[in-house]
Amino acid sequence: MRAFVFPGQGSQKVGMGTELAAASAAARETFEEVDEALSQNLSTIMSEGPAEELTLTENAQPAIMANAIATLRVLQHDFGVSLTGAGSCVAGHSLGEYTALCAVDAFTLADSARLLKLRGQAMQAAVPVGVGAMCALLGADLEAAQELADAAAEGDVCEVANDNDPSQVVLSGHAAAIERAVGMVKDFGIKRGIPLPVSAPFHCSLMQPAADAMEEALAETSPQALALPLYANVIAALVDDPAVEQRLLVEQITGRVRWRESVLAMRASGIEHFIELGGKVLGPMIGRIDKEAQVTSAITMEDLENLAKEIG
């Protein structure tokens, strides 16, 4: 059994999708459709930069989705691999959940792009720049990270935002609390605390204004039937009901990305092979979560050709 998984923010880089677009009409058409949906030449920012513009949350989120869907469409159209034929389920890390929903036809590509543009804008606007921050804890399990967050809060918001793998947990909240947490890591047996170069404190309660904005947007553009079931971030469990997923997408804005638990749940359900499309970020995480899991990450035409042979 196979799961197709899709990366989240931080996987963007200038030049993304350029090789696919040069080699495949399916990729070019994907990028053109996203540009048209956003009334923005996002594909040029993706291919040429500048990096500061691509990194803006409102650009990074639809760009990462567009690149992953282009990768999927090349796999489908150029190499004849059917997602529903080859896969048993899908999942995505944070914004990657929207990519996963697009992949299983719950959202159109145009709607996915517009929703992620809005999501990025709403998340950026929710907290003034400088008020919030995030940090990655290396060599930390969930229990140690939670104890550190509780100790560092001191009346501020300091919450576990991402449980990525057994050795990496991310905290999010007020900048002062995150700074305290980084300074206290050794007291909790954690190897390192690294401030993250993000513009807002994602996946914590400070994001409530963004959750409200997405609730309104998703009421107007709601998910449709899923061609394959999805493992949702905030519950780390299988979802196949569009109405339930609509609610979970709202909760996801302030809720924890339970990626480690999601991978373990997929493994428990019989998933043996994880295929990451459009990035090489989730693959290493999955390997750290379960060394027995088979992982393939595909970005290039060569990657996709090899993948098609492997699963064909």
Side-chain angles (χ1 to χ4, degrees):
M1 292 173 67
R2 299 185 192 92
F4 284 85
V5 298
F6 301 92
Q9 201 153 336
S11 58
Q12 74 279 353
K13 65 177 182 177
V14 173
M16 63 194 298
T18 304
E19 186 220 8
L20 289 184
S24 170
R28 289 194 297 276
E29 288 164 8
T30 301
F31 296 135
E32 288 165 6
E33 193 175 336
V34 170
D35 284 352
E36 186 177 342
L38 298 179
S39 301
Q40 176 191 10
N41 204 345
L42 183 63
S43 59
T44 299
I45 298 171
M46 292 167 64
S47 61
E48 300 174 12
E52 304 77 45
E53 197 168 347
L54 179 59
T55 304
L56 288 173
T57 302
E58 66 175 81
N59 291 331
Q61 295 201 19
I64 291 163
M65 181 278 300
N67 185 57
I69 292 298
T71 308
L72 171 62
R73 289 189 172 179
V74 171
L75 184 65
Q76 292 171 321
H77 295 290
D78 294 48
F79 297 104
V81 174
S82 159
L83 186 78
T84 52
S88 301
C89 64
V90 294
H93 190 279
S94 190
L95 78 90
E97 193 160 316
Y98 285 80
T99 313
L101 288 164
C102 180
V104 296
D105 301 325
F107 288 131
T108 66
L109 177 60
D111 282 343
S112 299
R114 285 189 286 262
L115 284 167
L116 284 172
K117 183 79 171 178
L118 173 64
R119 185 178 183 268
Q121 290 170 335
M123 292 173 92
Q124 185 61 68
V127 180
V129 173
V131 171
M134 300 179 76
C135 69
L137 305 177
L138 304 184
D141 61 17
L142 182 59
E143 184 179 359
Q146 187 63 63
E147 288 176 359
L148 172 60
D150 292 343
E154 295 183 13
D156 289 334
V157 170
C158 189
E159 298 169 3
V160 174
N162 298 49
D163 178 13
N164 284 333
D165 66 45
S167 65
Q168 187 193 103
V169 179
V170 175
L171 302 185
S172 182
H174 284 111
I178 296 302
E179 187 176 348
R180 285 192 294 271
V182 170
M184 296 164 64
V185 291
K186 300 294 186 187
D187 298 338
F188 290 83
I190 294 168
K191 187 177 175 182
R192 286 181 69 194
I194 303 173
L196 294 178
V198 295
S199 53
F202 306 129
H203 297 293
C204 76
S205 54
L206 295 176
M207 286 284 110
Q208 189 57 49
D212 295 340
M214 289 311 295
E215 183 172 23
E216 193 174 319
L218 289 162
E220 295 190 8
T221 307
S222 55
Q224 303 304 301
L226 284 66
L228 285 177
L230 171 140
Y231 278 78
N233 281 192
V234 291
I235 59 171
L238 202 64
V239 178
D240 56 14
D241 182 338
V244 172
E245 176 58 14
Q246 181 176 339
R247 173 176 57 79
L248 295 177
L249 287 174
V250 176
E251 291 181 15
Q252 187 209 57
I253 300 290
T254 57
R256 181 182 305 169
V257 177
R258 295 169 62 184
W259 185 252
R260 179 184 60 84
E261 293 174 88
S262 295
V263 171
L264 291 175
M266 285 185 268
R267 287 288 283 153
S269 76
I271 297 297
E272 298 173 333
H273 188 188
F274 294 84
I275 299 169
E276 177 184 9
L277 295 180
K280 296 195 175 184
V281 177
L282 300 180
M285 286 186 197
I286 294 166
R288 288 189 291 271
I289 294 165
D290 188 334
K291 291 178 173 56
E292 300 300 314
Q294 182 185 356
V295 180
T296 305
S297 296
I299 296 177
T300 66
M301 290 295 286
E302 183 181 2
D303 292 339
L304 292 168
E305 183 177 4
N306 292 334
L307 173 60
K309 289 175 184 173
E310 183 181 1
I311 64 179

